[in-house]
Amino acid sequence: MTRPKSLSPSVRQKFKSQYNHPLPSLSTYFCTESGKRFVYWDDIKNAFESVFYLQDRSEERHLFMIDECADRHRPLRIEHDPDEEYTVVYIDGHEDRSNSYQHNGNDIPSPIDLFAPLGRLVTTTMYHFDRLKLAPTAVRATFLQLVANARYYHGLLVEEIEGLDEFSFKAQFGGRDRALIMTQLRELEEQVPDWDYRNVYYNMFYRVQTKWDYATSKLFIVLPSDLKSWDDADSSTHLFRLYFLCDNRMDVVARSGLQQHVHLSNHPGYNLLQPQKFFCKYGDYVLRLLELVKHGYSDNAYDIPSDTSAILWKFSHTSSTLNRRTITSLIEKAITHIQALSPPKWIMEPGLTRNQSAAIKGFLEVQGCENTEGDLHRYIDSGQHVSWRCQMHTEQHFGWRHLKNLKTYVDGRLGHVNMQQGILQVQLKSFSETDQIHQHLSDIRHLFNLSIKLNWNLTRSEMEKLCQSVAQRKTVALEIDGVPLKIFPPGYVHYTRNIFAAKIVPDTVTGLQLVTILNYPAPKEQCIHIGNFILQSKSSPWGLSRSWVDLRTDLDRVGKLVSRAQEVSECKAAVTQLQLVQKKHGLADTTSVTIQDDKWGAVFDSKDGAIVEAYSLDASCPMAIYASGSLRRLTVDLREFARPVARHNTRSDCCSDGYSKTR
């Protein structure tokens, strides 16, 4: 393999001895696939004769890097860490290289030279397997790296011991027989698939960002519609249905006698459109879910029965083609079919993203007014984790009398409670009613996404109390309509970061994951504040069915494109993406969009289709915006530097308020 050239010879990795003596630094190389710098292991071995492994500052053995297939890179390499000074550990444990054991031709090495370093190899191999044994809850990439490294040292040990057999050595290591050690290592190797299995599903359940709302359940299975009509040789008979699973977690407070395991929803499922395309996109994920239902999984929060048929509990939908007698055969057929289309492979990220979850709906055949949630209900637990559960598992936490009182209160104020979507809409006439709605929500012990319309002249202090009250409820999303602009602080309001996220809701209130503010009491106040964006619009989106979480996610992606833009073409690409986001979310009547960052802001004009204004605290606005040629106004706030300028009175363009403006 041809080595890449070091792109920057000055970027070097530091090393030290076990006694903290400085050792020579080595050149690093850049991997274009991973975007990471590294040092070749061969370079390390050439520089430090008989090096065995490296230790980091936490005294852990540093791991070899792995590639996109979760195998060791060849040649072996160590990831570069500019803040780390790796400790070099030698095969014989000594600093003096003169006693290092080496094979010289056909000479037989003496036991004194041989068994000490071989014993260290045994210890290191055991160390990696012990570390792997404790890693099923590790991040997926870390777990895969541990697997690759444990198998590397295991392979080295087997080679060395087989080499001893050539010299007829019968050795003991640490008082243990060689055969016993090899048996123990073989048993550990046999447990790796089980550890890997648990790591995949632990990451699937817990490593994904469940605090950002999922469009529907991330748990589902895809099964053949009917095995009787299935013909392996006829692809036209390969029809499938998708069934959602109740994403229930075992809770401390649960209805007595109600089984708490994951199960099929009480819904007949959906015909799958374009199954080949669907499996091409989601095949690996579907396979993992089918294997999960086939073999089961259990921990402190999730219980997936090891008995496959138990996934159909007494309230699940069954039919002549899907029942306890047929489900095992259906799962086996689905696994075989998908594996033939897309052979299983190591996956770094086994979970499903929110956008991927939402896109699944496009593959479902929906009849009439049928929804695409599979009769599941959106549920937010006290930790703000969003899941989709069956009605019984969702309602087991309710106080029914309090729920009835809440619905009566909301209905009397032109509102609506959507239990399936977990959304509460209400119109309030005074600040005292905000206390009343907060009390009802506290009584019911259930979290909703809130959409509140304010029909009075709100003050800044009332707005602050309202947001803090909602935040204490740990609501994921909050919409407020009817906020007058007078509650904004004076100054450069147009460019200020979302005042409601940064000022109204202080840093000490961490419950609100998303604050959406809608200003619509007067025509000139028609703007949406969401995250770091302000969207000026011609009409109110109040009452429309729209996912603010999706909108914020897409807008944040646009913000990153703008902030990273180095060339004018990159800036234009970000603008194009913003236009696509507006179209996707039904915001075609948006007249302008203000994009905000910590130290700069930019205004996109829909009519011009370009960024026309920019604001910067210290000229930190992306250069691509400066060079775009579409700016009509550029404002640079030099307050940090204005005081010495004003003192010497050397700048004629300094304003009385200490601002320097460039047009």
Side-chain angles (χ1 to χ4, degrees), residues 528-569:
I528 304 171
H529 295 259
I530 180 168
N532 292 338
F533 290 80
I534 301 175
L535 290 80
Q536 193 75 26
S537 181
K538 294 179 180 179
S539 59
S540 171
W542 178 258
L544 296 180
S545 177
R546 178 178 290 119
S547 172
W548 299 114
V549 179
D550 279 343
L551 176 57
R552 175 170 179 171
T553 300
D554 290 341
L555 288 174
D556 285 343
R557 190 176 295 114
V558 171
K560 290 180 180 178
L561 291 175
V562 174
S563 64
R564 295 172 181 172
Q566 299 294 318
E567 304 289 342
V568 174
S569 59

Side-chain angles (χ1 to χ4, degrees), residues 587-602:
L587 296 169
D589 59 351
T590 301
T591 56
S592 67
V593 179
T594 302
I595 307 168
Q596 305 154 328
D597 203 278
D598 287 328
K599 294 185 177 181
W600 61 270

Side-chain angles (χ1 to χ4, degrees), residues 396-414:
Q396 67 180 334
H397 306 279
F398 288 177
W400 282 103
R401 178 173 60 85
H402 297 306
L403 176 60
K404 182 179 179 180
N405 292 339
L406 172 66
K407 286 186 174 182
T408 301
Y409 183 85
V410 171
D411 290 342
R413 284 155 183 79
L414 304 177

Side-chain angles (χ1 to χ4, degrees), residues 97 149 190 354 439 529 603 612:
R97 302 274 54 76
N149 279 262
E190 290 171 353
R354 172 176 168 73
Q439 185 59 54
H529 295 259
V603 180
V612 297

Side-chain angles (χ1 to χ4, degrees), residues 295-353:
H295 299 290
Y297 174 91
S298 182
D299 60 23
N300 292 332
Y302 277 99
D303 180 22
I304 292 86
S306 56
D307 177 8
T308 303
S309 63
I311 205 73
L312 292 168
W313 77 331
K314 58 183 178 181
F315 301 108
S316 296
H317 176 86
T318 58
S319 65
S320 59
T321 56
L322 175 61
N323 50 58
R324 285 180 172 264
R325 296 189 306 275
T326 62
I327 188 168
T328 301
S329 299
L330 289 168
I331 289 175
E332 290 288 356
K333 177 62 72 174
I335 290 175
T336 302
H337 180 79
I338 300 172
Q339 284 179 336
L341 293 175
S342 175
K345 53 181 177 292
W346 292 90
I347 301 296
M348 289 290 189
E349 300 296 338
L352 194 69
T353 67

Side-chain angles (χ1 to χ4, degrees), residues 66-71 346 348:
I66 57 175
D67 58 23
E68 64 277 4
C69 297
D71 196 3
W346 292 90
M348 289 290 189

Side-chain angles (χ1 to χ4, degrees), residues 421-435:
Q421 295 293 331
I423 297 174
L424 186 151
Q425 287 185 319
V426 66
Q427 297 190 36
L428 305 178
K429 295 181 180 180
S430 66
F431 183 71
S432 62
E433 290 187 337
T434 64
D435 290 333

